[in-house]
């Protein structure tokens, strides 16, 4: 049982390049989330998917797109990377059922945009 | 909107000393409360949670937290800190009946001196 997995672990991009961050969970969870973590800012929600087939914007969605490919997988795409998107990105999942508010996190992707 | 405040950005303690990390929330009703820990280079792991009932909750790794409604606080404590407890600690709040999305505090970095 791997939990939440993310690929890649590290990535360096040049400004304007695109990339997709991959996330998968094997816990049969309904809800999945993408966060970014910056020093002193805590975790900020980029996008989330409450259930398969739905996606919604979080606090900081600009510059990102997401795809809920199936129940297991939720990807985050940067179409034209900017230095302001240098961050650590975390994927998380949650059962998405009554009273299930705790989140399960992946190990993160450290992205640098030069 | 709900908010979570962790007033201490850094806390330094000696190994074997007691620890208390502060968390205050702003919301009219009693929310669901969480503490997560993030070891260097890792994702977040749930330490403990409070939904209802006994206001003193026990978690993993010897941590406990006490919910105080009158102070809108949910402080994390440990009687004797180990060097391996050095990490970033996040308090989080979720609304009952909401979309299962917690709001995270900005984190407190715990430094443990030998």
């Amino acid at each position: 049982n791997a939990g939440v997995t993310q690929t890649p672990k590290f990535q360096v991009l040049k400004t304007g390049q695109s990339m997709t961050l991959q996330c998968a969970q094997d816990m049969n969870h309904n809800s999945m989330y993408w966060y970014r973590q910056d020093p002193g800012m805590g975790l900020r929600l980029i996008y989330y998917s409450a259930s398969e087939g739905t996606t919604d914007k979080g606090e900081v969605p600009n510059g990102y797109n997401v795809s809920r490919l199936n129940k297991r997988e939720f990807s985050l795409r940067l179409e034209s990377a900017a230095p302001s998107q240098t961050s650590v990105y975390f994927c998380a999942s949650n059962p998405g059922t009554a009273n299930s508010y705790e989140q399960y996190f992946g190990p993160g992707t450290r992205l640098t945009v030069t | 909107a709900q908010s979570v405040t962790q007033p201490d950005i850094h806390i330094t303690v000696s190994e074997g000393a007691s620890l208390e990390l502060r968390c205050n929330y702003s919301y009219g009703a009693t929310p669901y409360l969480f503490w997560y820990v993030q070891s260097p280079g890792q994702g977040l792991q749930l330490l403990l949670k409070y939904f209802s009932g006994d206001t003193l909750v026990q978690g993993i790794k010897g941590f406990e937290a006490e919910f105080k409604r009158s102070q809108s606080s949910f402080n994390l404590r440990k009687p004797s800190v180990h060097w391996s407890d050095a990490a970033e600690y996040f308090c989080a709040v979720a609304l009952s009946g909401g979309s299962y999305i917690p709001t995270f505090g900005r984190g407190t970095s715990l430094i443990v001196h030998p």
Side-chain angles (χ1 to χ4, degrees), chain A residues 39-79:
Chain A
M41 300 297 291
L43 288 166
R44 292 183 291 171
L45 183 66
I46 305 171
Y47 270 94
Y48 68 99
S49 171
S51 60
E52 187 178 357
T54 69
T55 60
D56 284 287
K57 295 178 181 179
E59 181 185 354
V60 288
N62 291 345
Y64 305 95
N65 284 299
V66 291
S67 295
R68 183 75 183 265
L69 304 169
N70 47 54
K71 192 170 185 178
R72 290 187 63 247
E73 298 171 288
F74 188 39
S75 62
L76 178 72
R77 182 158 179 85
L78 287 70
E79 290 291 352

Side-chain angles (χ1 to χ4, degrees), chain A residues 4-7 10 35 39 52-53 55 57 62-63 84 87 103 105:
Chain A
V4 180
T5 57
Q6 293 183 237
T7 55
F10 301 94
Y35 293 91
E52 187 178 357
T55 60
K57 295 178 181 179
N62 291 345
S84 61
S87 188
Q103 299 208 321
F105 285 84

Side-chain angles (χ1 to χ4, degrees), chain B residues 35-112:
Chain B
W35 276 100
Y36 289 84
V37 60
Q38 182 183 29
S39 298
Q42 304 293 316
L44 279 69
Q45 179 186 20
L46 182 70
L47 276 177
L48 48 78
K49 60 187 177 186
Y50 173 79
F51 283 2
S52 65
D54 192 345
T55 56
L56 184 64
V57 293
Q58 303 296 321
I60 62 172
K61 306 185 183 197
F63 284 91
E64 66 178 26
E66 185 172 13
F67 168 59
K68 292 187 178 180
R69 186 191 308 272
S70 61
Q71 299 176 18
S72 296
S73 69
F74 188 57
N75 293 349
L76 182 71
R77 301 195 295 245
K78 187 170 185 178
S80 177
V81 169
H82 188 262
W83 63 267
S84 60
D85 293 324
E88 189 90 15
Y89 291 81
F90 292 93
C91 182
V93 168
L95 298 179
S96 62
S99 57
Y100 312 108
I101 301 173
T103 297
F104 287 86
R106 295 193 172 191
T108 297
S109 178
L110 175 64
I111 301 163
V112 180

Side-chain angles (χ1 to χ4, degrees), chain A residues 17 27 53 102:
Chain A
Q17 287 185 320
M27 296 173 282
E102 61 198 79

